[in-house]
Amino acid sequence: MARREAARLLRRLGPLAVESWTRGMPHSQHESANRIVNSCRRFHWIPSLQRPLCGPTTSGGIYEGQSSAKKACEVQKHTFGSAATHIQRNPAYSELNSDDVSYFKSILGENGVVQDEDRVAVANVDWMGKYSGASQLLLLPKNTTEVSKILSYCNTRRLAVVPQGGNTGLVGGSVPVYDEVIVGLSGMDKIISFDNVNGILTCEAGCVLENLSNFVENEGFIMPLDLGAKGSCHIGGNVSTNAGGLRFIRYGSLHGSVLGLEVVLADGTILDMLTTLRKDNTGYDLKHLFIGSEGSLGVVTKISVLTPAKLPSTNVAFLSCNDYKSCQKLLLAARRSLGEILSAFEFMDHHCIDLAMRHLEGVHNPLPASPYKFYVLIEITGSDESYDKTKLEAFLLRSMEDGLVADGVIAQDISQASNFWRIREGISEASVKVGAVYKYDLSIPVEKLYDIVEEMRCRLGDSAEVLGYGHLGDGNLHLNIVSSKYDDNTLERIEPFVYEWTSAQRGSISAEHGLGLMKAEKIHYSKSPEAVQLMASIKKLLDPNSILNPYKVLPQSVL
Ligand code: FAD
Ligand code: MLT
Ligand code: ZN
């Protein structure tokens, strides 16, 4: 595209007159603007958790009309879609009795022992309404000692346990499969300390991510991670899943940001690794075992995390590209030109945009004029507003000249910025509204990343809608296949193909969501038999009675 044409396009777009929405704002106003953006980006999951409690809300065949957790237990065995394999309840586990309940009441008090059917039923079902268990007991400890007493007792009695944070997990890891006791961390939500010189936050595991974000932002820092579920997910859940999210491209993995952990082991031992040191090479760094172990090795009770400084200028652009190759080239160009200020590079195909427009209230397509195949959301965050803005303008101009960007818009104000983010963050919510979601979370080399989406569309024809979106900057594709209800024929056309294909690219079948129940038996697609055996040995060492989050993460055959 000629330079003049590109400049014309920049002007035509209006917003691409590139007025940063923070521009000219006095600092205090900017502060509150940022807060408003964040509050617009909030995702309040709790209401959607109060959906009918067993199985999907839609015409889920065998799930309809099921109302008790007991029935859900049978359903789980029948399974559906990509939910679970045919797992038998492990007979080595004891069944809960009234003495157990009395003991828990003696250590937690009446309020910490929940048997109310409705409340327990909510905790039995995951956010997608896809996985459901049959637990009769939800325990709500208030401190580490109580967690320790619970686990010590359960270990002796061989009662299986599922640790639960905000229950926003997407792989069935956070809910029981059968009658496991649910240990909810929501009562452990205290901020312990904040070192505002070094930006180190120490808090309990049950703190909601968004609350932590608001807290550290008031101190001039930000959390190193951000995700659509932040209004409900806990930092303990984030650590336990090693959540990636929207800031990964800038701040990297929690393996880098988490400085210390306190963890309670299966036998009740409290493991204090709650250091706040940046550097500490005294022996094996054990905390890494628990980051991403999905509640299978211990219950995380406290966390210290390094928080980056909050920077004053943020700009968000919503761009369209005609083909995937252009998205890929745009990523490389953004890395080169925006390098140090690039804070998000998210990607969606037009199926995602269509779905978001159909199912999300109050959002609008920022580029409605022509249908494009691909969309990219770029966020930059920096310390010098005019410098950042100039860089972004120059980058967009060049990208248009080079034909990488077909059209685009930069948020002029907070509501535009939050609309852009709402579209991207709302794709999972929109997908769930269709009914059935076969959800895959893949790490694939960027140049191959969209091939699987196209191949899947060929395989499935009109029988389901295939969506491709994700954290392109991290090589992380979210492949969602949506249809009105789950059925085995569709599943057979998706799996094992999706895993075999990913494995052939030496990709990962779980980029950021974990394995949970959904993929425990699939780990071999991404890990060697030797690695899986070593994981099993570690599991047996730390949890010899296998009471922690059974049936999840590792295949039954190796335990
Ligand atoms: P839960 O769902 O309650 O639990 C998840 C797993 O961790 C379970 O195996 C559970 O047993 C274990 N666990 C929880 N707390 C503890 C604890 N204290 N100690 C030991 N084990 C524990 N994930 C991403 O990685 N990136 C995203 O961008 C992202 N976006 C999302 C957007 C939406 C709308 C939704 C619904 C989910 C999204 N997720 C994302 C998935 C999910 O939010 C994350 O996995 C999150 O980290 C889970 O936190 P949680 O507190 O809800 O944990
Ligand atoms: C996302 O990036 O939106 C999340 O990981 C959630 C999802 O994939 O559904
Ligand atoms: Zn994601």
Side-chain angles (χ1 to χ4, degrees), residues 89-96 151-161 544-547:
R89 183 184 182 282
N90 183 343
Y93 298 129
S94 306
E95 286 182 22
L96 189 76
L151 292 192
S152 165
Y153 180 84
C154 289
N155 191 47
T156 312
R157 270 276 292 134
R158 290 209 174 197
L159 286 168
V161 166
N545 292 335
S546 213
I547 61 159

Side-chain angles (χ1 to χ4, degrees), residues 362-550:
V363 298
H364 61 272
N365 185 348
L367 301 170
S370 353
Y372 297 99
K373 286 202 164 143
F374 296 94
Y375 296 82
V376 168
L377 186 159
I378 294 180
E379 185 192 76
I380 56 161
T381 308
S383 55
D384 183 326
E385 206 173 298
S386 69
Y387 166 86
D388 297 348
K389 186 165 86 74
T390 306
K391 272 194 121 172
L392 184 61
E393 276 175 350
F395 167 70
L396 290 175
L397 193 65
R398 256 194 327 275
S399 303
M400 284 180 160
E401 279 179 346
D402 295 346
L404 303 184
V405 169
D407 204 348
V409 59
I410 290 185
Q412 294 284 287
D413 56 33
I414 299 145
S415 80
Q416 286 181 4
S418 66
N419 178 56
F420 297 177
W421 272 116
R422 175 79 178 111
I423 294 168
R424 167 60 189 88
E425 290 182 305
I427 298 169
S428 31
E429 182 194 356
S431 304
V432 168
K433 286 187 179 165
V434 176
V437 189
Y438 305 83
K439 197 176 255 301
Y440 301 92
D441 161 42
L442 312 169
S443 264
I444 303 172
V446 172
E447 58 279 16
K448 293 268 185 186
L449 181 140
Y450 202 70
D451 292 359
I452 179 83
V453 183
E454 287 172 334
E455 284 200 41
M456 197 56 82
R457 260 180 212 133
C458 290
R459 288 176 79 82
L460 294 174
D462 293 335
S463 64
E465 194 174 1
V466 181
L467 314 173
Y469 63 100
H471 316 287
L472 193 67
D474 315 323
N476 180 182
L477 172 73
H478 293 313
L479 172 69
N480 278 13
I481 295 145
V482 295
S483 66
S484 57
K485 62 180 171 58
Y486 292 101
D487 77 87
D488 287 342
N489 285 341
T490 305
L491 181 67
E492 275 163 24
R493 277 185 277 169
I494 301 171
E495 295 182 19
F497 169 76
V498 65
Y499 299 127
E500 287 168 355
W501 192 95
T502 306
S503 185
Q505 313 303 323
R506 293 189 66 78
S508 170
I509 62 160
S510 170
E512 59 173 9
H513 295 164
L515 294 167
L517 177 65
M518 175 186 177
K519 290 173 280 188
E521 301 291 330
K522 318 284 181 200
I523 191 170
H524 60 274
Y525 286 105
S526 292
K527 289 287 182 294
S528 69
E530 295 77 16
V532 175
Q533 275 306 332
L534 184 56
M535 290 184 205
S537 306
I538 293 169
K539 167 76 177 170
K540 285 176 197 162
L541 178 72
L542 295 183
D543 181 14
N545 292 335
S546 213
I547 61 159
L548 285 173
N549 224 358

Side-chain angles (χ1 to χ4, degrees), residues 42 53 64 99 128 158 347 360 414 503 523 555:
R42 264 179 217 163
L53 295 168
E64 272 204 336
D99 289 346
M128 290 183 292
R158 290 209 174 197
F347 137 94
L360 299 181
I414 299 145
S503 185
I523 191 170

Side-chain angles (χ1 to χ4, degrees), residues 87-264:
I87 296 168
Q88 298 298 314
R89 183 184 182 282
N90 183 343
Y93 298 129
S94 306
E95 286 182 22
L96 189 76
N97 63 32
S98 57
D99 289 346
D100 300 327
V101 175
S102 302
Y103 174 75
F104 292 131
K105 284 185 179 166
S106 77
I107 56 168
L108 305 176
E110 291 283 335
N111 290 343
V113 180
V114 180
Q115 289 178 287
D116 171 75
E117 269 195 23
D118 289 345
R119 286 178 71 193
V120 175
V122 169
N124 263 303
V125 183
D126 78 316
W127 177 79
M128 290 183 292
K130 191 168 174 179
Y131 303 90
S132 48
S135 179
Q136 295 162 44
L137 193 65
L138 165 64
L139 300 179
L140 298 173
K142 286 267 181 222
N143 55 51
T144 304
T145 310
E146 291 182 357
V147 174
S148 166
K149 285 182 179 164
I150 293 170
L151 292 192
S152 165
Y153 180 84
C154 289
N155 191 47
T156 312
R157 270 276 292 134
R158 290 209 174 197
L159 286 168
V161 166
V162 52
Q164 190 174 84
N167 197 8
T168 66
L170 298 171
V171 289
S174 55
V175 290
V177 179
Y178 289 101
D179 54 349
E180 299 89 280
V181 172
I182 304 166
V183 177
L185 276 295
S186 57
M188 294 180 61
D189 60 352
K190 287 190 247 352
I191 289 171
I192 297 165
S193 66
F194 187 69
D195 167 352
N196 62 8
V197 176
N198 299 297
I200 298 169
L201 172 73
T202 305
C203 65
E204 290 185 323
C207 291
V208 170
L209 178 60
E210 186 170 52
N211 295 342
L212 294 177
S213 281
N214 292 338
F215 174 84
V216 297
E217 284 196 22
N218 279 334
E219 301 282 335
F221 292 83
I222 61 166
M223 291 300 284
L225 82 162
D226 183 23
L227 43 149
K230 72 176 167 186
S232 291
C233 65
H234 295 179
I235 189 70
N238 301 148
V239 168
S240 301
T241 54
N242 188 25
L246 307 161
R247 291 183 182 155
F248 191 101
I249 190 171
R250 177 76 165 259
Y251 299 112
S253 148
L254 285 172
H255 281 287
S257 313
V258 171
L259 300 179
L261 290 181
E262 179 190 79
V263 176
V264 180

